[in-house]
Amino acid sequence: DAGVIQSPRHEVTEMGQEVTLRCKPISGHNSLFWYRQTMMRGLELLIYFNNNVPIDDSGMPEDRFSAKMPNASFSTLKIQPSEPRDSAVYFCASSLGDQETQYFGPGTRLLVL
Amino acid sequence: KQEVTQIPAALSVPEGENLVLNCSFTDSAIYNLQWFRQDPGKGLTSLLLIQSSQREQTSGRLNASLDKSSGRSTLYIAASQPGDSATYLCAVQGNNRLAFGKGNQVVVIP
């Protein structure tokens, strides 16, 4: 298996623009997680899905952030409008179950100017 | 809210020495504890997972212990090598959430 796939790997955008991050989990995994990593706050869970259903989105910072999982092999995290403070590395992870080992993608490094 | 602390934030050791990394957490009601490795610009790689009923796990030169009652875990890396240079993160699983520490940044000096 190719592991968790994320795209794009790098994104530079201007404040106010819409940003869409994409994730393909490992085939057969039924839990998917979106994290954000910054120097100040470390790794924070934004939202996670189980069987394509959002279970816990309490980490989503505000209404500008939204996440979807239309099927078992694809998820998106959207920021609209983006702000400079959204600059971070965004990781997607998947696991067989929500208490199992999580496998992380390589991350998307986002810079909002 | 679960708080996970890793001290020190950064350390350097000469090659061949044993590494000891510490993790503490505030809420002992956990399902498991995991140690991850992160290389610069890369994602996280799971090293060891200790279930809440277990006291330790071993994989090769790595050994992780868990003391739930005191809210502590320790990762031991025996006979460190330059390839062990990375950031090591501790993560505690509880209530369907994985809470991470900020990591120990390790440099092994050849």
Side-chain angles (χ1 to χ4, degrees), chain B residues 1-35:
Chain B
K1 181 186 172 186
Q2 180 74 268
E3 300 286 340
V4 182
T5 303
Q6 293 184 248
I7 295 172
L11 69 158
S12 298
V13 297
E15 182 178 0
E17 271 200 12
N18 297 330
L19 267 167
V20 180
L21 306 178
N22 294 305
C23 170
S24 62
F25 49 94
T26 54
D27 186 351
S28 61
I30 66 171
Y31 291 107
N32 61 51
L33 183 144
Q34 299 180 54
W35 282 93

Side-chain angles (χ1 to χ4, degrees), chain A residues 7-88:
Chain A
S7 65
R9 293 293 310 277
H10 303 273
E11 177 82 23
V12 180
T13 191
E14 293 187 345
M15 184 173 64
Q17 296 298 307
E18 177 179 294
V19 175
T20 299
L21 310 181
R22 296 173 178 80
C23 174
K24 177 178 166 52
I26 293 173
S27 177
H29 283 191
N30 58 22
S31 295
L32 183 141
F33 307 80
W34 281 101
Y35 292 91
R36 178 171 66 178
Q37 187 176 38
T38 60
M39 289 291 291
M40 288 296 295
R41 300 173 68 92
L43 259 170
E44 301 174 286
L45 177 68
L46 300 177
I47 185 171
Y48 93 91
F49 296 83
N50 201 38
N51 293 320
N52 312 339
V53 176
I55 302 299
D56 183 353
D57 66 354
S58 59
M60 296 285 263
E62 48 198 272
D63 291 346
R64 298 184 297 107
F65 285 69
S66 63
K68 293 182 180 179
M69 192 164 186
N71 58 61
S73 59
F74 183 66
S75 177
T76 59
L77 177 68
K78 188 174 292 187
I79 308 172
Q80 167 63 16
S82 58
E83 296 182 3
R85 61 193 168 118
D86 301 330
S87 299

Side-chain angles (χ1 to χ4, degrees), chain A residues 9 33 35 37 39-43 45-46 48 55-56 58-59 91 98-102 104-106 109, chain B residues 1 31-32 34 36 38 40-46 49 51 89 93-102:
Chain A
R9 293 293 310 277
F33 307 80
Y35 292 91
Q37 187 176 38
M39 289 291 291
M40 288 296 295
R41 300 173 68 92
L43 259 170
L45 177 68
L46 300 177
Y48 93 91
I55 302 299
D56 183 353
S58 59
F91 288 104
D98 52 20
Q99 308 290 354
E100 304 292 326
T101 297
Q102 294 183 21
F104 280 71
R109 191 172 296 272
Chain B
K1 181 186 172 186
Y31 291 107
N32 61 51
Q34 299 180 54
F36 291 86
Q38 185 174 28
K42 300 289 176 73
L44 280 69
T45 301
S46 180
L49 183 151
Q51 300 291 353
L89 294 105
Q93 179 101 45
N95 291 332
N96 299 324
R97 290 181 141 262
L98 205 57
F100 282 85
K102 291 190 176 179

